Amino acid sequence: MNTAYPRSRPFITLLVLFSITCGLLLFTVDVAVSEQAGVKEYLPDTLDTQWTGHDVLFCQTPGCDRSWLARDVEPDEEGVRTCPTNWRGESCGGELKTMSRGEYMVLPKDTVMLKKQYFHNREPYKTVFTSVVLSGRNRDSIHRPEVCMTGQGNVIEMNKVIEVPLAGREPLQVMVLHMSRKLTETYTRHTYYAYWFVGQDRETPHHLERLMWMTVDRILRNVTHRWAYIAISGERAGDLNNTAHYDEIRDVVSKLYPEITLLGQP
Ligand SMILES: [Zn+2]
């Protein structure tokens, strides 16, 4: 009978045991689930006196999938808003939620998602979309944004972390994805998608750093927080050397941040 083991066998066994131990530590140790988040479940109706925001609602009817500004949809007698018409102009009546049907299907049901479109009061063509995603109890509501963006047909041409100056503290670091999407043979739309992550007492523009903090907090502090993910998106010039959109991001984030943050508060 041949009982010879390949030489690497003990090492592989150790590696497997080590992985199992890490897995057990990560997923079976009874960690305290903190309900406390680093941001409010809230997006303000105005940012300073310059921007006015409107809730964005999404039809849940398969094949319709339209989105509406809440201001454009009349509520019924009970205050419920339903989708007025589908793409073909036919009456729809679908349920409206604060997240798209795709997002609702993929995300845990206790995920909180708020979206607003802000319009500049003096320059009406200027508009930005903002969203807050707050993870629920099982903590997997937040995905790597790059994956969602490319899944929607965008090409990420460049990513860059920029600093947003904030009163009374160090600047906030925000990740900016520079995206493009070819809509027709002759027209390519250039957009940006800026985001950062917030834990109860942590902030980072890097997805991997967030995962690292989640693991460290689980193992060393025995706690798991409700992470949130805040995003701002809008149009940019096609030239990657044109940084005019950074001013827009800094303007919106510096006005939004103090309205929604819970960091540093008891
Ligand atoms: Zn509809």
Side-chain angles (χ1 to χ4, degrees):
M1 191 166 70
N2 184 0
T3 55
Y5 289 106
R7 287 181 66 87
S8 60
R9 185 83 175 239
F11 173 71
I12 291 173
T13 309
L14 267 179
L15 196 69
V16 168
L17 281 174
F18 178 73
S19 307
I20 291 171
T21 311
C22 284
L24 286 174
L25 267 174
L26 268 176
F27 298 110
T28 65
V29 167
D30 191 22
V31 293
V33 177
S34 167
E35 285 306 312
Q36 205 169 341
V39 291
K40 302 171 193 168
E41 293 182 19
Y42 167 70
L43 282 170
D45 288 337
T46 57
L47 295 174
D48 203 346
T49 52
Q50 282 175 27
W51 299 87
T52 303
H54 298 278
D55 291 328
V56 186
L57 299 171
F58 298 83
C59 179
Q60 304 296 306
T61 303
C64 177
D65 298 310
R66 289 191 79 174
S67 63
W68 300 89
L69 292 180
R71 66 160 185 201
D72 297 332
V73 183
E74 279 295 316
D76 65 16
E77 310 85 64
E78 275 130 48
V80 179
R81 289 181 165 85
T82 52
C83 180
T85 53
N86 65 19
W87 287 112
R88 291 183 292 276
E90 300 156 351
S91 145
C92 175
E95 183 188 0
L96 295 176
K97 286 191 197 304
T98 57
M99 61 181 89
S100 71
R101 193 170 58 89
E103 288 164 338
Y104 185 74
M105 286 195 301
V106 175
L107 295 173
K109 294 298 166 264
D110 56 355
T111 305
V112 173
M113 186 180 291
L114 302 173
K115 294 186 182 181
K116 268 199 161 88
Q117 184 175 9
Y118 288 94
F119 296 88
H120 198 276
N121 292 340
R122 285 199 314 273
E123 300 164 72
Y125 60 89
K126 257 174 87 164
T127 178
V128 292
F129 287 88
T130 60
S131 66
V132 171
V133 181
L134 255 167
S135 60
R137 284 192 75 81
N138 68 3
R139 307 298 187 237
D140 59 358
S141 304
I142 297 174
H143 302 123
R144 199 165 154 255
E146 283 82 346
V147 176
C148 305
M149 292 303 120
T150 49
Q152 291 167 16
N154 292 292
V155 174
I156 299 170
E157 295 184 8
M158 180 173 87
N159 56 21
K160 184 177 168 64
V161 174
I162 66 164
E163 293 198 331
V164 177
L166 294 170
R169 51 156 285 166
E170 79 267 23
L172 177 74
Q173 302 219 312
V174 175
M175 176 68 81
V176 185
L177 305 181
H178 298 69
M179 303 189 300
S180 63
R181 187 173 180 177
K182 196 170 181 182
L183 293 178
T184 67
E185 270 310 304
T186 53
Y187 177 57
T188 299
R189 190 170 175 223
H190 297 92
T191 55
Y192 68 82
Y193 190 81
Y195 65 85
W196 75 100
F197 302 101
V198 189
Q200 190 186 328
D201 48 7
R202 308 201 183 280
E203 283 171 336
T204 174
H206 302 286
H207 180 71
L208 276 178
E209 193 180 322
R210 184 183 77 86
L211 293 181
M212 192 268 295
W213 283 127
M214 272 179 91
T215 310
V216 166
D217 285 345
R218 243 169 197 265
I219 293 175
L220 299 183
R221 295 165 82 196
N222 214 30
V223 71
T224 166
H225 302 293
R226 290 185 73 185
W227 278 84
Y229 152 45
I230 297 106
I232 289 135
S233 60
E235 305 270 338
R236 67 174 178 90
D239 178 4
L240 285 174
N241 293 316
N242 185 325
T243 59
H245 56 297
Y246 293 172
D247 295 335
E248 183 172 276
I249 296 167
R250 290 192 177 103
D251 181 39
V252 171
V253 172
S254 65
K255 291 175 170 115
L256 178 65
Y257 186 94
E259 297 275 344
I260 61 171
T261 188
L262 289 170
L263 296 190
Q265 296 182 15

